[in-house]
Amino acid sequence: MEISNDSGIKKPKRLTSVVWEHFERVRKADICYAVCHHCSKKLSGSSNSGTTHLRNHLMRCLKRGNHDVSQLLAAKRRKKDNNINLGNITFDEGQRKEEYIKPTIVKFEPEHKRDEIINYGSSKFDQERSQIDLARMIIVHGYPLTMVEHVGFRVFVKNLQPLFDFVPNSGVEFSCIEIYGREKAKLYDMINKLHGRINVSTEMWFSPENSQFLCLSAHYIDEGWTLQKKILNFITLDSTHTEDMLPEVIIKCLSEWDIDSKLFALTLDDCSIDDDITLRIKERISEKRHYSSTCQLLDIRSAAHVLNCIVQDALDALHEVIQKIRESIRYIRSSQVILGKFNEIAQHAGINSQNALVLDCPMRWNSTYDMLETALEYKNAFSLVQEHEPSYSSAPTDEEWEWVSSVTSYLKLLVEITKVFKENRFATANVYFPEICDVHLKLIDWCRSPDHFLNSLALKIKTRFDKYWSKCNSALAIAAILDPRFKMKLVEYYYSKIYGSLSVHRIKEVSDGIKELFNAYSIMVDQGSALPGSSLPGTCSDSRDRLKGFDKFLHESSEGASTTSDLDKYLEEPIFPRGNDFNILNWWKVHMPRYPILSMMARDVLGTPMSTVVPELAFSTGVKVLDPSRSSLNPDTRQAVICTQDWLRNESRDLNPPSSHSPLPLLIESN
């Protein structure tokens, strides 16, 4: 039987994958190549190699060649005989368009209740809703708006949903503004329905190009006794902006939210801001207050800011010594031989420290503290090395080591206190008083140093601290009194140590202050403006009421004949036992019926922000710097994206468990 010559020849396998539209298959001898149409690069074209590597190269090649995906898709649609687009580059190369199975759509309904946000099972594609969802995703996670133009993102989305039509960067920007407007209206309505009052904090931010921004945030305790913080405005300051323009900017923002008449406290992040500026704000605010003048606007300065300033003063004074220690550590770690000799000397000197010498990161002052503390353990070894190594001459003198020891002991306290502030991301005002008092006591002790260097440094720092203390000590003390574990006892304990024989007078000032504040709230209740379900405490619908003075007279004249006030009853009762699981807001929520007026006051006082530094920058010596992608936006879009991100993240905290990954941080550190 005759055998055909071509019976053993296999027909070449048909190239079905869409990637072959971008490659030419070339055979040389027994080897097959796939040659890219765009860059002529040769890749394996064997049928055993598959097409994954070709698809990966195609993605890189498209990106390197700066091909526009939308143009490529349009060109493909013009092909009548084969309507294939970039969305067909899928994980299943052999799948054709007619075999495409529509995926289940997960819809995000912003206007729905939280338990209805995710809706499964809809088979109808909604282009408008998908565009809004994309904008929300960009806002919440801090992605750059330009991500919609990235080739990889477009291909990924097209493989998920080929029906989605991409919009330009300006379209996503418009969607962000639209979401901002809707969320702002919701927040405005919620804030203005609050029975309590509002506290506002200000923070200065900068761009990498050194542009300035003002961030205003509202702090309050809601009806469920949960401490809340919402960014209200992120204002881009004009390049001609001067410090005396700050009051007008703040007042304009407060008026925009209609909260200037219900403001309880204003916290500024810079302790050096001129008092005249805050006075101007107070005067403008008081013009819109229709209630008793005894409820004055509290002027608070950030506790964390003053601590950072104190640290900076100490490190600046010790700058030359710190440089010596850095040079010493660099020398010891310059080679294994020198490090080995140093360790031998340390052992002979009886140093058994388990800590290794490491250089600090100057932008994180707690790392400088760690470096100094470890160096102190090896100070005798440094001196001995200098005796045996002529090339080493950076060891501090005995006097300088004494300075380092004293400064480090003070920094240790500040590290511990800053950690307390850092760990309490949403700390109520009551936690600050004992920590700040400890700083005060340490400073008093430091000022007694006989060493001229340490004494002059302590006096300089105390001058800065005294300015902060004179402005904030009453507010700090009142917040501590409203902690049922301490009441007046904590004030009496610390003031006796701080003021000595003058403590009785100082304690009376605090006692009179909290009584005056409580009486103001009592008058509001007498006027009927602070009862549950009524309008904001401290407001009156009739500004022409000429009997407000009578209300105050009636309250004061009937005090002796009336029953024990909330405040007296609270202070006379035993203090609550201290425990690790104590929650002060839950305590006041439970005891609100027992102290109806005092609980209203406690809600406003405990919601006062005593610090403005975010935990991520608690130990940073730099300023707050906005990331480049946000800095490049126009002012309106920047404010919309930053504010809306904050509002949506707050909603996400309620939706997600605490163990979930947190969104990308908004801020970066300067250098």
Side-chain angles (χ1 to χ4, degrees):
M1 182 173 63
E2 187 176 353
I3 301 176
S4 173
N5 292 332
D6 57 353
S7 62
I9 300 176
K10 294 182 180 180
K11 294 182 179 181
K13 186 178 179 181
R14 185 184 177 190
L15 305 178
T16 58
S17 174
V18 70
V19 298
W20 288 108
E21 293 191 0
H22 302 275
F23 292 91
E24 179 182 358
R25 196 173 192 181
V26 178
R27 179 183 294 273
K28 288 188 178 181
D30 295 332
I31 302 176
C32 285
Y33 296 100
V35 182
C36 177
H37 290 176
H38 305 289
C39 66
S40 301
K41 184 174 182 177
K42 291 183 181 180
L43 302 167
S44 174
S46 170
S47 58
N48 296 330
S49 300
T51 56
T52 301
H53 66 297
L54 301 180
R55 184 174 65 251
N56 292 338
H57 171 76
L58 179 63
M59 293 301 301
R60 292 191 296 270
C61 187
L62 282 173
K63 185 175 183 180
R64 184 172 63 248
N66 199 26
H67 283 61
D68 183 73
V69 174
S70 61
Q71 294 178 4
L72 181 59
L73 292 174
K76 293 299 181 183
R77 291 191 189 102
R78 289 194 293 268
K79 291 187 178 181
K80 297 181 181 180
D81 58 328
N82 188 12
N83 188 17
I84 300 176
N85 60 30
L86 196 55
N88 295 109
I89 303 178
T90 66
F91 292 105
D92 184 359
E93 294 291 346
Q95 186 178 18
R96 302 191 180 191
K97 185 173 182 180
E98 58 267 25
E99 298 173 339
Y100 172 75
I101 300 175
K102 289 185 178 180
T104 298
I105 306 299
V106 179
K107 300 178 69 176
F108 193 95
E109 304 284 353
E111 63 274 7
H112 283 190
K113 295 180 180 179
R114 290 174 180 173
D115 57 348
E116 298 176 345
I117 283 180
I118 299 178
N119 176 27
Y120 296 96
S122 173
S123 60
K124 183 180 178 181
F125 173 70
D126 187 335
Q127 169 69 26
E128 183 179 355
R129 176 50 49 77
S130 296
Q131 184 173 328
I132 291 294
D133 290 346
L134 174 60
R136 289 174 72 93
M137 178 191 73
I138 289 174
I139 290 172
V140 171
H141 298 290
Y143 300 143
L145 271 64
T146 54
M147 73 173 292
V148 298
E149 299 172 354
H150 297 172
V151 172
F153 175 75
R154 286 175 171 251
V155 172
F156 173 72
V157 172
K158 276 298 178 182
N159 280 333
L160 290 178
Q161 179 49 267
L163 298 179
F164 183 76
D165 288 331
F166 285 97
V167 294
N169 189 7
S170 58
V172 177
E173 187 175 352
F174 177 82
S175 296
C176 291
I177 297 291
E178 181 183 354
I179 295 171
Y180 166 71
R182 186 161 55 241
E183 295 297 327
K184 181 179 180 180
K186 288 163 55 178
L187 181 60
Y188 177 91
D189 185 59
M190 186 272 296
I191 285 180
N192 281 275
K193 287 181 179 179
L194 285 173
H195 291 159
R197 291 157 74 184
I198 302 294
N199 303 291
V200 169
S201 66
T202 67
E203 298 173 89
M204 292 301 299
W205 285 71
F206 298 85
S207 73
E209 296 77 26
N210 211 33
S211 298
Q212 290 188 344
F213 313 102
L214 177 67
C215 180
L216 262 73
S217 299
H219 306 253
Y220 58 90
I221 294 174
D222 62 21
E223 304 304 318
W225 284 88
T226 300
L227 184 61
Q228 301 284 358
K229 176 186 176 183
K230 306 281 187 181
I231 294 179
L232 299 179
N233 295 91
F234 199 88
I235 305 298
T236 302
L237 300 177
D238 188 83
S239 58
T240 60
H241 171 82
T242 56
E243 195 175 75
D244 61 347
M245 297 171 60
L246 190 62
E248 300 301 323
V249 176
I250 295 175
I251 292 168
K252 182 179 179 181
C253 293
L254 297 177
S255 300
E256 176 187 335
W257 287 91
D258 198 23
I259 59 175
D260 42 2
S261 62
K262 63 198 310 184
L263 195 61
F264 181 74
L266 178 65
T267 303
L268 304 176
D269 64 345
D270 190 348
C271 297
S272 63
I273 291 179
D274 195 335
D275 289 342
D276 290 341
I277 293 178
T278 57
L279 182 61
R280 287 171 55 190
I281 296 174
K282 285 183 177 183
E283 290 174 350
R284 291 289 297 274
I285 294 299
S286 63
E287 294 174 3
K288 296 197 174 185
R289 293 181 183 270
H290 306 304
Y291 52 90
S292 172
S293 61
T294 55
C295 264
Q296 295 294 328
L297 174 69
L298 294 183
D299 178 12
I300 308 296
R301 303 302 165 93
S302 173
H305 184 273
V306 74
L307 294 187
N308 273 330
C309 289
I310 289 173
V311 168
Q312 203 58 51
D313 286 342
L315 295 181
D316 287 347
L318 213 62
H319 175 72
E320 293 183 4
V321 183
I322 292 175
Q323 283 298 105
K324 283 186 177 183
I325 292 175
R326 287 181 181 136
E327 290 300 321
S328 297
I329 294 175
R330 289 192 184 98
Y331 178 82
I332 298 301
R333 294 172 58 89
S334 62
S335 72
Q336 288 296 326
V337 174
I338 297 177
L339 181 61
K341 289 182 180 179
F342 179 82
N343 289 333
E344 290 180 7
I345 291 174
Q347 288 181 358
H348 287 304
I351 300 172
N352 298 316
S353 175
Q354 300 299 314
N355 298 319
L357 290 171
V358 292
L359 287 170
D360 65 329
C361 172
M363 291 304 302
R364 308 288 293 180
W365 65 263
N366 58 322
S367 73
T368 303
Y369 160 76
D370 291 335
M371 179 187 73
L372 296 179
E373 187 180 49
T374 303
L376 278 169
E377 298 175 5
Y378 290 95
K379 67 176 184 177
N380 293 333
F382 283 117
S383 301
L384 292 172
V385 169
Q386 188 163 264
E387 295 177 3
H388 296 86
E389 295 288 337
S391 59
Y392 170 62
S393 58
S394 301
T397 64
D398 291 340
E399 184 182 40
E400 288 173 335
W401 279 120
E402 289 299 321
W403 296 346
V404 172
S405 178
S406 182
V407 171
T408 302
S409 68
Y410 192 72
L411 291 180
K412 181 179 181 180
L413 173 64
L414 299 184
V415 168
E416 293 171 351
I417 291 175
T418 304
K419 285 182 178 179
V420 172
F421 298 164
K422 183 176 185 291
E423 292 167 0
N424 289 273
R425 175 178 281 269
F426 299 105
T428 47
N430 58 297
V431 306
Y432 290 87
F433 179 74
E435 309 296 343
I436 297 300
C437 285
D438 284 339
V439 173
H440 199 169
L441 290 172
K442 185 72 173 178
L443 262 177
I444 292 173
D445 182 62
W446 211 17
C447 288
R448 299 191 183 106
S449 173
D451 184 275
H452 175 72
F453 171 81
L454 295 175
N455 181 265
S456 60
L457 173 59
L459 290 174
K460 177 183 177 181
I461 291 175
K462 194 171 186 305
T463 301
R464 180 191 294 277
F465 178 85
D466 286 346
K467 182 178 180 180
Y468 165 80
W469 178 257
S470 64
K471 186 173 293 294
C472 300
N473 77 90
S474 294
L476 292 167
I478 290 174
I481 293 170
L482 292 172
D483 189 327
R485 300 169 297 172
F486 304 127
K487 300 187 179 180
M488 283 295 301
K489 293 298 182 182
L490 191 66
V491 176
E492 294 169 0
Y493 168 75
Y494 274 112
Y495 275 29
S496 63
K497 290 177 172 292
I498 293 171
Y499 295 111
S501 60
L502 300 176
S503 61
V504 175
H505 174 67
R506 296 292 187 176
I507 293 170
K508 187 178 183 303
E509 286 181 349
V510 174
S511 178
D512 292 344
I514 193 171
K515 287 178 181 178
E516 182 181 0
L517 184 61
F518 176 78
N519 289 338
Y521 275 80
S522 299
I523 292 172
M524 297 174 201
V525 173
D526 291 342
Q527 294 173 347
S529 61
L531 296 173
S534 69
S535 60
L536 168 73
T539 62
C540 179
S541 58
D542 186 4
S543 60
R544 297 172 298 175
D545 183 4
R546 300 185 182 278
L547 295 179
K548 293 178 184 178
F550 171 73
D551 291 328
K552 183 177 180 181
F553 167 77
L554 184 65
H555 173 77
E556 292 174 347
S557 61
S558 61
E559 273 186 321
S562 64
T563 58
T564 306
S565 70
D566 282 6
L567 179 60
D568 292 334
K569 184 165 53 178
Y570 168 79
L571 294 177
E572 290 170 2
E573 292 176 349
I575 63 174
F576 191 81
R578 285 193 295 138
N580 294 330
D581 58 346
F582 177 76
N583 185 314
I584 190 170
L585 296 184
N586 284 345
W587 190 93
W588 277 105
K589 180 179 181 181
V590 171
H591 290 80
M592 186 167 54
R594 181 170 177 79
Y595 311 109
I597 300 176
L598 189 61
S599 63
M600 291 166 44
M601 189 179 85
R603 176 182 290 176
D604 296 336
V605 172
L606 296 176
T608 302
M610 295 295 179
S611 179
T612 60
V613 176
V614 293
E616 292 86 349
L617 292 180
F619 293 103
S620 174
T621 59
V623 296
K624 303 181 185 73
V625 180
L626 199 62
D627 61 85
S629 65
R630 303 298 178 86
S631 300
S632 63
L633 300 174
N634 71 65
D636 291 338
T637 304
R638 178 165 44 242
Q639 175 169 252
V641 170
I642 291 175
C643 291
T644 311
Q645 180 190 50
D646 178 71
W647 305 336
L648 296 181
R649 281 183 177 183
N650 285 330
E651 291 183 3
S652 300
R653 290 191 188 102
D654 296 334
L655 290 169
N656 298 326
S659 60
S660 62
H661 294 291
S662 60
L664 295 174
L666 173 67
L667 46 90
I668 60 175
E669 294 181 49
S670 67
N671 49 32

